[in-house]
Amino acid sequence: MLSPLAILLAGSLMLPIADPAQVKGCSARKPFKTEIQIDLDIPETRYDFSMTRKNLTEGQVELTTAWKSEHEDHVWASSDLSVEGLARGGMGVMSASQFIGVPYDKYGMYYCPYVKKLIVSVHYNTKIFVAREHKKGTCDFSATLAHEEQHHQINVDTVSEVMMRLEKDLPEIISYMERRYVPRAEVENGAMNLQAGLEDALKIYSEHMFKEMSKRNAVLDSPEEYQRVAAQCPR
């Protein structure tokens, strides 16, 4: 039976540590390959052009303050900044897994807990805001929207890249966790340890994903980029 795992956004990788006698134990004897499935769902971008510049700015005080602290030469205070547009993303990561125990010795005293199947489902969506002072069809509207679309693309590319890396790394991660055999009476506990290890691994990749998004978006939100956007629409 598939058992759902709730994925959080923080944690450390805690994998079973095999003793020397088990280093090439269960992993070397595994009679099948784990079925791994990565499902990435990115629906159409949603848009909201109804909020005022004041509404958007008031909702992003932390963001504007942080930007000011990093670019002190370009603004006198965070109050000098106004949010003309915003790309707000949301993401959910869930997984389902199936485990099986296979006898390690001919007497059935020890068993190897294996991950039979793992499904990781990732849902990412974006809502883009443009201040309603910028009317559709104007240069300011188009320039602001284009900038926010870049943020959306950065996030989509980051999610896709990290999920591809996860899919590539999972066989090795799972193989590492599966090295240890356990007494027959502890097969269920062994499966629970595998489940916990998978959860921790997914937490690490999720955390890395968000850090990478923040880093890449910060590069885009440079004073030079803001000047470039403003220069597109001469006053």
Side-chain angles (χ1 to χ4, degrees), residues 26-224:
C26 291
S27 294
R29 297 189 181 193
K30 189 173 181 178
F32 61 90
K33 288 185 177 181
T34 298
E35 181 182 347
I36 298 172
Q37 180 179 328
I38 307 292
D39 295 329
L40 179 56
D41 177 37
I42 303 177
E44 292 288 328
T45 305
R46 296 172 297 149
Y47 297 91
D48 186 340
F49 307 136
S50 65
M51 297 184 68
T52 65
R53 179 186 293 118
K54 181 181 178 181
N55 294 150
L56 291 174
T57 303
E58 289 177 345
Q60 300 297 318
V61 172
E62 184 176 344
L63 182 151
T64 55
T65 302
W67 194 93
K68 191 267 178 182
S69 68
E70 295 177 9
H71 306 284
E72 293 182 351
D73 295 337
H74 296 271
V75 290
W76 290 104
S78 57
S79 58
D80 296 328
L81 297 173
S82 64
V83 177
E84 306 297 321
L86 178 67
R88 180 177 294 162
M91 190 178 76
V93 182
M94 294 293 293
S95 75
S97 51
Q98 184 177 4
F99 305 92
I100 189 173
V102 176
Y104 179 79
D105 64 293
K106 64 180 181 180
Y107 303 108
M109 294 182 63
Y110 295 95
Y111 271 69
C112 295
Y114 291 124
V115 182
K116 186 176 182 180
K117 184 175 183 178
L118 174 64
I119 302 173
V120 180
S121 301
V122 180
H123 176 85
Y124 175 78
N125 66 83
T126 298
K127 189 172 187 179
I128 291 179
F129 300 82
V130 175
R132 74 182 185 198
E133 286 85 352
H134 302 310
K135 303 302 180 183
K136 287 184 180 180
T138 65
C139 179
D140 285 334
F141 176 88
S142 298
T144 303
L145 180 60
H147 173 82
E148 299 308 328
E149 292 280 10
Q150 289 185 72
H151 282 297
H152 169 63
Q153 193 59 51
I154 284 173
N155 292 339
V156 168
D157 290 346
T158 304
V159 172
S160 300
E161 289 173 18
V162 174
M163 286 301 101
M164 288 177 62
R165 177 64 183 271
L166 175 64
E167 187 171 22
K168 179 182 177 182
D169 293 348
L170 272 173
E172 184 175 351
I173 293 171
I174 292 172
S175 179
Y176 179 88
M177 293 192 301
E178 291 176 334
R179 294 185 297 176
R180 187 175 186 178
Y181 54 81
V182 298
R184 181 175 181 176
E186 297 181 15
V187 172
E188 186 174 347
N189 287 337
M192 292 176 63
N193 287 335
L194 289 178
Q195 177 174 307
L198 291 173
E199 288 179 333
D200 285 337
L202 292 176
K203 290 175 189 177
I204 288 175
Y205 280 79
S206 295
E207 187 177 60
H208 169 70
M209 186 188 306
F210 280 101
K211 286 182 178 179
E212 191 64 23
M213 282 182 183
S214 296
K215 183 174 70 174
R216 296 181 184 185
N217 281 301
V219 171
L220 176 62
D221 280 334
S222 65
E224 292 75 21

